[in-house]
Amino acid sequence: MRALRVLQQRDEAIRARVARDVESRLDEGSLESLALAAHAAMERETSRAQGTGARAPACSAGCSYCCHVHAHATVPEILAVAAWLRRSLAPEALEALKERLARHVARVAPLSDEERWAARIPCALLDERGHCSVHEARPLRCRAFHSCSADDCRDAFEGRTDALPPRVALLARAADAVEAGYDHALHAAGIDASGHRLEIGLFRALSGASR
């Protein structure tokens, strides 16, 4: 029981810290800045959890089995990804990405989560090597998801098992607490904290910016 109380107190401390970090950005008047504060908190808190001796995830660059599902993100996070792309890509590359997103959205928008996974359709933001092209700006859900076993992820991807890959308990708790703190700050500020499909939202954000 004492161990459980310690974990719950740690979770609450993380939620409070993240909420304060996000709320401190409200005066900046930018939804993007709220997402950036939460992203920084996720990196800080998961690194802190690993510093306590938590097992390191098996995830690595190019291991993208999990990137064949609908990724969800809040509006501030979608805007943060769009802003990062506008800063990072040349105009021609940005136009090419929007064209790819348009084709991709037309394909995946009608699909449920189960249908998308069954079809093994990769995220539109993966490059030809299976690397996330927006890794620096990726949403909280993408940052939070991890696995202790690349072999288990491969087995799931290739249809040999329906079991979810094992996660590191302390990292999962820390990530959940970060997201809870972020959501709390958004709700308190009257900002929509619900998740939206990343590819669809990003296409709309980039298309709107171009008009």
Side-chain angles (χ1 to χ4, degrees):
M1 289 296 293
R2 182 178 183 279
L4 179 59
R5 286 197 301 273
V6 170
L7 287 173
Q8 291 172 337
Q9 289 168 357
R10 182 181 296 167
D11 293 347
E12 182 53 42
I14 292 173
R15 287 193 291 268
R17 282 196 297 268
V18 175
R20 286 195 300 270
D21 287 350
V22 175
E23 289 165 355
S24 71
R25 299 289 191 94
L26 288 170
D27 290 342
E28 296 180 21
S30 165
L31 290 178
E32 174 193 347
S33 67
L34 306 183
L36 296 180
H39 294 170
M42 180 70 83
E43 298 305 310
R44 180 189 69 227
E45 299 298 346
T46 53
S47 293
R48 181 176 291 171
Q50 286 184 285
T52 65
R55 179 181 177 184
C59 309
S60 60
C63 181
S64 55
Y65 299 116
C66 61
C67 301
H68 293 72
V69 297
H70 294 308
H72 291 82
T74 60
V75 169
E77 291 182 287
I78 292 169
L79 295 177
V81 176
W84 188 89
L85 286 167
R86 286 194 293 269
R87 292 193 301 268
S88 303
L89 298 182
E92 299 80 7
L94 189 61
E95 286 301 316
L97 173 61
K98 285 191 284 187
E99 291 175 5
R100 184 166 74 250
L101 280 170
R103 294 192 298 270
H104 201 82
V105 166
R107 184 183 181 193
V108 303
L111 302 181
S112 67
D113 289 343
E114 294 76 14
E115 290 168 336
R116 169 77 179 264
W117 174 248
R120 300 299 192 265
I121 300 173
C123 177
L125 299 173
L126 287 179
D127 65 18
E128 63 279 358
R129 301 172 299 165
H131 290 196
C132 176
S133 63
V134 295
H135 191 263
E136 183 179 329
R138 68 196 187 283
L140 289 175
R141 276 286 79 201
C142 299
R143 293 170 191 266
F145 191 83
H146 66 274
S147 170
C148 297
S149 171
D151 289 339
D152 286 351
C153 292
R154 186 184 304 110
D155 286 345
F157 184 78
E158 295 177 355
R160 288 190 289 274
T161 178
D162 291 328
L164 291 174
R167 299 174 69 195
V168 181
L170 279 177
L171 291 182
R173 289 188 73 109
D176 288 347
V178 169
E179 292 189 88
Y182 172 62
D183 289 349
H184 176 82
L186 294 187
H187 282 303
I191 299 170
D192 178 22
S194 59
H196 304 267
R197 289 187 181 181
L198 174 61
E199 293 153 320
I200 296 174
L202 184 58
F203 173 66
R204 291 172 177 167
L206 291 174
S207 298
S210 67
R211 286 198 294 268

